Amino acid sequence: MVVGPDGKLPLPWLEGPFAAALEQQRGHALLLHGAAGAGALPFGLSLAQAWLCEAGSGARPCGRCGSCRLVQSRLHPDLRVLLPQLLRRELNWLLPDDEAAGEEGKKKPSKQIRIDEVREAIDWVMKTTSRGRGKVLLLHPAEALNAQSSNALLKTLEEPPAGTRIVLSAADPAHLIPTLRSRCQRIALVPPPAEQALAWLEARGCKQAPVLLAAAGGLPLDALALAEAGVDAAAWSALPRAVARGDATAFSGWPLPRAIDALQKLCHDAMARGAGGSTRYFPQEALPRSARLDAVVQWSQALARAARHDEHPWNEGLLLDALVAQGRA
């Protein structure tokens, strides 16, 4: 997820935004505005690597110096990355006091960046740099900050120690409190062109990449995650017909958040098709033109409620059955 010994960025479409960010960056606090599926975390980590690089080029990281090697191994003493516990487990980026998956019984890992984690990071920021190139604190995704942890970060974000940079990565900055947004310089990261994304996916053995890229809304990392999870083009394209039959078994084995995300995308396309527009995630012909828009709006609201509370200990089978039945109607 960072620049390797060959000096190349981890994702080819980051080249332009990366050069622009290094040139435009003026303040100590950055807000990276870009979806995770477009490479927001690798982008933020590569920026941190550039600032900490000891080669002295002042532009992009060399990938070979001692500092770059420490970033590559996730051991750099002057880089702190704050992720929600759920994402830390997915990336195997555990904190010293984290428990491995399965050691907390039925308790689900948190999807928030908690206030105690922010306070520990603030204490870390106040300590002297270890290698003399400053410090970098990266929070991803910043939407995972709750109200308490956001407020705890404000003073440090406004007046950090000299040589400290703070990077927040957010897919939708509107979900951050205004006082956080106002203290940051924004840097935009847009998804790559479809041709570049498809070439990248095909180079990684992603079969039927066009369907999966559409399923991921044009975000190549999300499309690759679908492929690695065993979702193929046929299974994805069959979802509208399965929901039209009220068949929730099409989601067997899917994690609840992924199933709800797929239903939300199907709901979006059903609404667009019913209003005479074009679909985004599914083939146009897979959706009915005669969808009842009032019923689809109610379904959308039910899906949004389920998505907000997917950490709740639902009976997942019953919840999916209910959501699919509502979609069928």
Side-chain angles (χ1 to χ4, degrees):
M1 287 196 291
V2 294
V3 175
D6 58 1
K8 293 182 179 180
L9 289 170
L11 300 168
W13 57 86
L14 297 182
E15 288 287 349
F18 187 76
L22 289 177
E23 182 180 349
Q24 297 169 8
Q25 187 264 331
R26 296 292 181 268
H28 59 266
L30 289 186
L31 174 56
L32 302 182
H33 177 197
L41 180 56
F43 187 34
L45 288 170
S46 297
L47 281 176
Q49 186 180 3
W51 294 326
L52 296 172
C53 179
E54 295 167 347
S57 66
R60 56 189 294 152
C62 68
R64 297 179 299 276
C65 68
S67 181
C68 283
R69 290 197 299 271
L70 285 169
V71 173
Q72 292 159 6
S73 61
R74 303 180 179 179
L75 295 173
H76 200 296
D78 293 328
L79 172 61
R80 186 73 171 253
V81 181
L82 277 189
L83 309 169
Q85 187 181 41
L86 178 63
L87 188 55
R88 294 201 298 269
R89 287 188 178 181
E90 290 176 357
L91 298 176
N92 195 27
W93 201 320
L94 300 178
L95 295 177
D97 58 347
D98 275 340
E99 296 185 8
E103 293 184 6
E104 293 184 331
K106 295 183 178 180
K107 184 179 178 181
K108 292 186 177 180
S110 175
K111 295 170 67 176
Q112 294 186 344
I113 297 175
R114 297 174 297 191
I115 187 170
D116 56 330
E117 296 167 344
V118 171
R119 285 172 175 165
E120 289 175 4
I122 292 172
D123 291 341
W124 170 84
V125 163
M126 297 301 171
K127 296 177 182 177
T128 306
T129 175
S130 295
R131 298 182 68 90
R133 297 287 294 178
K135 287 190 168 188
V136 182
L137 173 62
L138 171 61
L139 298 95
H140 172 87
E143 296 97 325
L145 290 164
N146 57 34
Q148 292 77 21
S149 54
S150 294
N151 286 318
L153 182 64
L154 284 176
K155 183 171 178 57
T156 303
L157 189 64
E158 186 172 14
E159 298 178 0
T164 299
R165 290 182 173 95
I166 301 175
V167 181
L168 282 70
S169 166
D172 187 357
H175 290 159
L176 306 181
I177 61 175
T179 44
L180 273 185
R181 298 197 303 267
S182 66
R183 286 163 167 78
C184 298
Q185 176 187 354
R186 291 198 187 191
I187 300 290
L189 173 63
V190 298
E195 297 79 7
Q196 188 178 28
L198 289 172
W200 182 82
L201 288 168
E202 290 166 356
R204 277 147 188 80
C206 182
K207 298 179 180 179
Q208 301 162 316
V211 173
L212 294 182
L213 186 62
L219 302 174
L221 295 184
D222 287 352
L224 184 62
L226 284 174
E228 291 175 344
V231 180
D232 59 19
W236 183 262
S237 300
L239 290 180
R241 292 188 295 274
V243 172
R245 296 192 307 270
D247 181 10
T249 61
F251 299 98
S252 295
W254 289 38
L256 183 61
R258 177 173 290 132
I260 292 176
D261 178 69
L263 287 172
Q264 286 183 302
K265 290 174 177 176
L266 180 55
C267 181
H268 168 280
D269 281 4
M271 195 177 300
R273 181 72 163 154
S278 300
T279 59
R280 180 180 182 186
Y281 304 105
F282 292 91
Q284 186 93 351
E285 61 277 6
L287 276 294
R289 291 185 178 180
S290 58
R292 289 172 42 218
L293 287 180
D294 59 334
V296 176
V297 169
Q298 293 176 14
W299 187 35
S300 174
Q301 294 168 345
L303 289 168
R305 286 193 296 271
R308 284 196 300 271
H309 303 292
D310 61 5
E311 288 185 309
H312 185 82
W314 304 104
N315 182 313
E316 296 185 3
L318 291 178
L319 176 62
L320 277 177
D321 283 343
L323 294 174
V324 169
Q326 188 172 359
R328 178 180 183 274

